[in-house]
Amino acid sequence: MTFDLKGKTALVTGGSAGIGKGIAKALAGAGAQVMITSRKAEKCEAAIAEIGGQSDYITSHIGILEEADRVVDATLERFGSVDILVNNAATNPWAGPMIDCDVPRLDKTYEVNLRAPLQWTQTAWTKWMQENGGSIINIASVGGFTTSEALGVYCMFKDALMHMTRQLAAEMGPKVRVNCIAPGLIKTDFAKVLWDGPRGKQIADMLPLGRLGEPEDIGEAALYLAAGASWMTGNTLTIDGGELIRITGELPIEE
């Protein structure tokens, strides 16, 4: 199947690096007009040079309430539509047991990882998709399916994002499809502490597919959700190299 997004516009939050940039490149490669947003202009400019096609950027901080209106309005002015919204931007200010997390870092994780995707979806819906239709793609994590020694707070909100995806899909159909991607460990700067050095190879060797993920792997999944998957909504694609199904131990053998 060939995916064609000519005439469509995608808005990708956190699109200047990592998974967001990988998604933006995939959508632009299929002909979409792509607006990325992130906090630093220089990183956005560098990303646009890689993304190519009809792409542009506007800087923003997605956790600030007024920014969604400003960025969606700018995208409509620049490209004329917001057909695809990718809620990718995320943060992880706390690493450690959830029981020890302080309120400011709990609030920051909620603000960016859960509140912002809802607010940006509401804004895209009000300003374009309610009348014209569209596709929402949320980026969660395989961490949302399990527990974590150090990332429990982050994983909690990614789990909630998957539920938000289901709820919004039920509410926004039939005009808007809402789906989610749960990546495993992807080789990005955001996750570098988890994969850099010998540990990365050890993790890769444990996966059924024998390698860590690349941003392009998530870009391919996002392209499918944006340009195909016409009868799919409220679902989460797990793209993790087999992490969740890997064999973790052997059953005892009775002699």
Side-chain angles (χ1 to χ4, degrees):
M1 177 183 293
T2 300
F3 296 123
D4 185 359
L5 289 174
K6 290 182 179 130
K8 302 292 185 182
T9 300
L11 170 58
V12 183
T13 71
S16 66
I19 288 174
K21 185 169 70 173
I23 291 172
K25 288 171 71 174
L27 300 182
Q33 303 167 134
V34 177
M35 178 74 81
I36 65 168
T37 187
S38 190
R39 288 182 295 171
K40 296 181 180 178
E42 60 272 21
K43 289 189 69 175
C44 287
E45 289 175 1
I48 288 300
E50 287 188 54
I51 293 165
Q54 297 183 71
S55 60
D56 205 346
Y57 77 91
I58 179 169
T59 57
S60 71
H61 188 311
I62 70 159
I64 298 174
L65 293 173
E66 297 78 14
E67 295 286 76
D69 281 317
R70 183 175 67 84
V71 172
V72 170
D73 284 344
T75 304
L76 289 170
E77 183 177 352
R78 173 71 174 84
F79 291 123
S81 66
V82 179
D83 307 291
I84 303 154
L85 171 64
V86 182
N87 287 309
N88 165 73
T91 189
N92 183 39
W94 173 256
M98 181 186 292
I99 195 67
D100 296 327
C101 184
D102 57 84
V103 171
R105 280 181 280 195
L106 179 70
D107 287 348
K108 182 68 174 178
T109 312
Y110 160 71
E111 172 190 287
V112 174
N113 294 3
L114 191 62
R115 190 189 74 187
L118 175 58
Q119 183 197 0
W120 285 64
T121 297
Q122 290 172 326
T123 304
W125 166 260
T126 301
K127 292 180 177 290
W128 180 260
M129 292 186 180
Q130 186 173 12
E131 293 298 323
N132 300 282
S135 174
I136 307 288
I137 302 170
N138 296 320
I139 307 301
S141 167
V142 292
F145 296 115
T146 185
T147 58
S148 171
E149 183 177 2
L151 302 176
V153 172
Y154 176 83
C155 294
M156 171 178 65
F157 289 116
K158 291 302 187 179
D159 188 13
L161 183 59
M162 287 186 272
H163 180 78
M164 181 190 293
T165 297
R166 294 189 293 271
Q167 182 66 36
L168 290 175
E171 295 178 1
M172 298 172 73
K175 282 197 168 182
V176 177
R177 295 181 298 108
V178 187
N179 289 292
C180 189
I181 300 172
L185 183 54
I186 307 297
K187 293 179 71 174
T188 65
D189 287 341
F190 180 75
K192 192 170 185 178
V193 68
L194 300 176
W195 60 263
D196 196 26
R199 186 166 182 240
K201 184 178 186 310
Q202 292 171 359
I203 295 171
D205 287 344
M206 291 189 297
L207 299 177
L209 293 186
R211 68 172 177 87
L212 300 181
E214 300 285 350
E216 291 76 14
D217 294 311
I218 309 305
E220 291 173 357
L223 178 57
Y224 167 68
L225 292 177
S230 61
W231 204 48
M232 178 178 176
T233 196
N235 283 284
T236 297
L237 288 180
T238 303
I239 312 295
D240 67 347
E243 178 181 344
L244 290 182
I245 53 89
R246 69 185 178 88
I247 297 171
T248 56
E250 296 182 0
L251 293 172
I253 299 175
E254 296 184 3
E255 295 183 357

